[in-house]
């Protein structure tokens, strides 16, 4: 993975830059000691590390604006950071950049149940947004699996999804307004508590822009009343094709489950060994969850099992209560931990049309044999968001590079069958150089024009999202 | 009127244009003044791909809304955002196109629960103001690959580019529906009842209030949808929440007609005057209705969307006094049709226009 060569002119001015930052922030909010900046050297993509020039932890929109003004004036790149859980390297610094962490901004500013929204500072974690409203019967719908740790700022930057987006959508569908600071330190208000911010849909383009357009400091989020209940059914099949067919049949029948999760045999075996959830041994497992009152859940699960029964299931288990539901989810929820026990792994998140599922799984299996690396598949089947986990040995020279090459081939396959490189993790540095496989130069140019407008000097998280060669002229202008 | 039959022809027309172009879909929901030579997208039509099992539909932008709805109905599916038919309100004729729906981000009553048109747009192809063909998004439901220009194009009214193809997420059409009706409420009380219903777990898919309903009296309407037993259960629960006097309408034809009336703003059709569409937070609705002094109003989205008929030439925005925005969808005068933005947003919007339409030829002056 190539990162741009750090700018010596910036490195040589470190003392002056730190002093200017200290002028606008409390002293404990500017971290510049080489030992301490190491804490910010990577995010969830731990294969790549680089300590920043400095890290700052502003506590308000005003402080964020002051920091950005300093960096803008001095020409220093800024890498915004939520909780640092990105799997794509979205918060990976360069040696000549300042990390801007929002962790100190985690207040709830306003809660309004009549109008069904909450306004928070964006350093607040995803789960604690729901935590602030759940006693009153509400929740915040997007639920990335890192939700205990990940910040709303990062969710907005990456347009995070989760297991329940088939029904509730992803971050962009639940974001009503933001306060954002642009690189020149200007504070901008977009949208608020009304639906559809007027004018051009800037919220839509900011959400998912990977911290390249501005630093979002406050957000108004849609909250929803909690459903009366939810229960899953587990269904086992003897082939991926049949399980894929079953997913399609369920969706065609008119039921909209809140989640449809898919696991293949390698994944089932690993989870079973790790969590002992009692899963049946088979080629493919589906976990389908529906919501509503007891009567509504019973009716929907019965219909889903009817459909599955026509697809030759090996076994079906309906959760009759919370305990049984917990056991069905246990294995799925420990999938990543189970894989971590076996080996190092790389998690991809390419998305494919549901109809291409059997073909894609077949070809991944072929490639797995060619590369000599095992793959386990677990994913959100309802929306085609795959999560192939490629196992490798980080201590074995060349294994990481082999794994990355295999991963890139899988993502190219996703694009080839009509899908995309990333469904919810973002491009970051990880998939940056694959963007040309999905987009023509004109498509990338159109996206980069948007950054030109928000950040003409290309100082905000500059070496991400776009292939380095495509963004080079702009970064060096 | 120019009527390109292919995306390449359209690109050539835009590239070779020497003056302003007026982009026309079906011309049924046009807002504000536009000049220039008309370019119709009607020739860019047809279903390109439909996978009911994946809930995805790809269509040419000039495909009529009617054709899209018919194709989906064949598989028991629908556009969940319930786009309106504006012909009655705006006294227009012709067939609405899906490109027009997306360009206008036109969302009906179900927007409150399912989302807006922009939430169901998965991918676009368009020709920008320089005549360049650009694609963004795709045909899968979860996609964070690069910037989301799909959203930027939704609601940009043809000012950043001319849509040529759109991928949509579709949903199963509800099998059954019912409406809980409460008569005689004030606007304030109606919003309170609607908020209570929308804050319940019963997934209200429509919440509207007309101070003057079809029979001349105030009516508040709450819709539930789903399978039959579910609808019966939910309607009964909502009726309890709504309080004394709530009645349940289960006749499918009557329910459908009632919500088409809401969707198409039946309460304001006909008559002279300007028509405004106002987005505010629901709990501000009563204050706004009080302050604007409209000839007639109707509330949708639980009070978050106010349709108002005003005396010709009235500057409604000067009377709003709450956060939100107002668009004049019918009428003229000195007041701009689209809500002026705050300085920070206006600067960014101007920057985007300058880059996507450097010569300022696509529906110039329409939005800003």
């Amino acid at each position: 993975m190539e990162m741009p060569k750090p700018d010596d002119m910036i490195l040589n001015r470190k003392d002056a830059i730190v002093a200017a930052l200290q002028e606008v922030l409390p002293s404990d909010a500017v971290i510049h000691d080489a030992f301490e900046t190491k804490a910010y050297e990577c995010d969830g993509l731990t294969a790549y590390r680089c300590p920043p020039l400095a890290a700052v932890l502003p506590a308000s929109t005003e402080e964020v604006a002051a920091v950005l003004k300093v960096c803008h004036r001095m020409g220093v790149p800024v890498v915004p950071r939520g909780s640092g859980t990105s799997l794509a390297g979205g918060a990976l610094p360069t040696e000549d950049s300042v990390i801007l962490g929002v962790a100190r901004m985690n207040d709830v500013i306003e809660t309004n149940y009549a109008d069904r929204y909450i306004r928070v500072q964006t350093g607040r974690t995803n789960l604690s947004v729901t935590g602030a409203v759940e006693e009153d019967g509400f929740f915040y719908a997007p639920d990335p699996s890192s939700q205990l740790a990940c910040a709303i700022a990062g969710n907005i930057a990456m347009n995070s999804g989760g297991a329940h987006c088939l029904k509730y959508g992803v971050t962009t569908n639940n974001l009503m307004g933001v306060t954002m600071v642009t690189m020149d330190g200007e504070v901008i208000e977009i949208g608020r508590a009304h639906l559809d911010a007027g004018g051009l849909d800037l919220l839509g383009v900011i959400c998912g822009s990977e911290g390249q357009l501005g630093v979002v400091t406050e957000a108004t989020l849609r909250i929803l009343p909690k459903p009366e209940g939810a229960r899953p059914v587990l269904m086992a099949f003897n082939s991926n094709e049949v399980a894929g067919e079953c997913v399609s049949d369920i969706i065609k029948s008119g039921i909209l489950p809140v989640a449809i999760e898919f696991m293949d045999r390698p994944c089932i075996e690993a989870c079973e060994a790790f969590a002992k959830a009692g899963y049946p041994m088979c080629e493919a497992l589906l976990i389908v969850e529906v919501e509503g009152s007891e009567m509504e859940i019973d009716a929907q699960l019965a219909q889903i099992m009817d459909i599955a029964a026509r697809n030759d299931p090996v076994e079906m288990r309906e959760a009759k209560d919370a305990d049984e539901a917990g056991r069905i989810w246990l294995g799925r929820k420990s999938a990543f931990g189970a894989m971590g026990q076996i080996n190092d792994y790389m998690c991809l998140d390419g998305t494919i049309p549901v109809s291409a599922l059997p073909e894609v799984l077949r070809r991944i299996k072929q490639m797995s044999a060619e590369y000599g690396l095992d793959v386990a598949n677990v994913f959100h089947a309802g929306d085609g968001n795959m999560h192939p986990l490629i196992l490798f040995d980080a201590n074995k020279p060349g294994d990481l590079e082999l794994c990355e090459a295999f991963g890139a081939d899988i993502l190219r396959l996703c694009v080839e069958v009509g899908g995309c490189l990333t469904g919810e993790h973002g491009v970051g540095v990880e998939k940056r150089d694959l963007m040309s496989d999905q987009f023509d130069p004109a498509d990338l140019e159109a996206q980069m024009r948007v950054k030109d407008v928000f950040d003409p000097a290309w100082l905000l998280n500059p070496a991400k999202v776009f292939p380095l060669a495509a963004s080079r002229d702009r970064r060096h202008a | 009127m120019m009527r390109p039959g292919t995306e390449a022809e359209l690109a050539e027309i835009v590239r070779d244009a020497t003056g302003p172009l007026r982009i026309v879909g079906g011309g049924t929901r046009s807002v504000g003044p536009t000049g220039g030579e008309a370019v119709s997208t009607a020739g860019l039509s047809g279903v390109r791909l439909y996978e009911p099992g994946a809930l995805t539909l790809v269509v040419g932008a000039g495909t009529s809304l009617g054709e899209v709805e018919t194709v989906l109905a064949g598989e028991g599916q629908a556009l969940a955002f319930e786009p309106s038919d504006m012909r009655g309100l705006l006294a227009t004729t012709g067939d609405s196109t899906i490109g027009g729906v997306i360009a206008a981000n036109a969302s009906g009553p179900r927007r409150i629960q399912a989302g807006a048109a922009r939430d169901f747009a998965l991918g676009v192809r368009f020709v920008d103001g320089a005549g360049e063909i650009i694609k963004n998004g795709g045909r899968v439901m979860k996609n964070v690959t690069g910037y989301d220009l799909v959203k930027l194009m939704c609601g940009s009214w043809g000012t950043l580019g001319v849509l040529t193809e759109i991928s949509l997420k579709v949903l199963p059409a509800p099998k059954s529906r019912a409406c809980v009706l409460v008569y005689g409420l004030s606007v304030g009380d109606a919003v309170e009842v609607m908020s209570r219903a929308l804050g319940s777990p019963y997934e209200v898919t429509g919440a509207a209030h007309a101070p003057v309903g079809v029979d001349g009296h105030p009516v508040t309407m709450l819709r539930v949808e789903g399978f039959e037993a579910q609808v019966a259960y939910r309607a009964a629960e909502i009726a309890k929440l709504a309080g004394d006097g709530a009645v349940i309408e289960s006749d499918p034809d009557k329910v459908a007609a009632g919500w088409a009336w809401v969707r198409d703003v039946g309460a304001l059709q006909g008559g002279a005057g300007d028509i405004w569409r106002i987005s505010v937070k629901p709990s501000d609705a009563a204050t706004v209705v009080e302050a604007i002094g409209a000839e007639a109003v109707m509330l949708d989205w639980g009070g978050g969307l106010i349709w108002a008929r005003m005396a010709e030439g009235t500057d409604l925005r000067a009377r709003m006094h709450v956060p939100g925005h107002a668009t004049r969808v019918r009428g003229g005068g000195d007041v701009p049709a689209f809500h002026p933005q705050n300085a920070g947003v206006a600067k960014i919007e101007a920057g985007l226009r300058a880059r996507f339409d450097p010569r300022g030829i696509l529906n110039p002056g329409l939005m800003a």
Side-chain angles (χ1 to χ4, degrees), chain B residues 83-151:
Chain B
S84 54
D85 179 346
M86 288 282 105
R87 289 175 293 192
L89 186 69
L90 304 182
T92 49
T93 55
D95 292 324
S96 174
T97 62
I98 194 69
V101 166
I102 294 301
N105 189 25
S107 321
R110 213 184 283 107
R111 193 260 174 274
I112 192 80
Q113 190 261 340
R118 55 89 91 176
D119 295 303
F120 289 87
L122 302 175
V124 290
R125 293 179 64 89
F126 64 95
V127 173
D128 74 2
E132 190 88 50
I133 296 169
I134 294 163
K135 67 168 183 297
N136 191 264
R139 66 173 173 104
V140 288
M141 249 178 248
K142 269 165 97 178
N143 187 347
V144 295
T145 319
Y147 294 172
D148 192 347
L149 304 186
V150 180
K151 303 273 187 305

Side-chain angles (χ1 to χ4, degrees), chain B residues 288-303:
Chain B
V288 170
V289 169
E290 174 92 7
I292 58 175
E295 291 169 359
V297 296
M298 196 191 79
L299 277 62
D300 196 356
W301 300 358

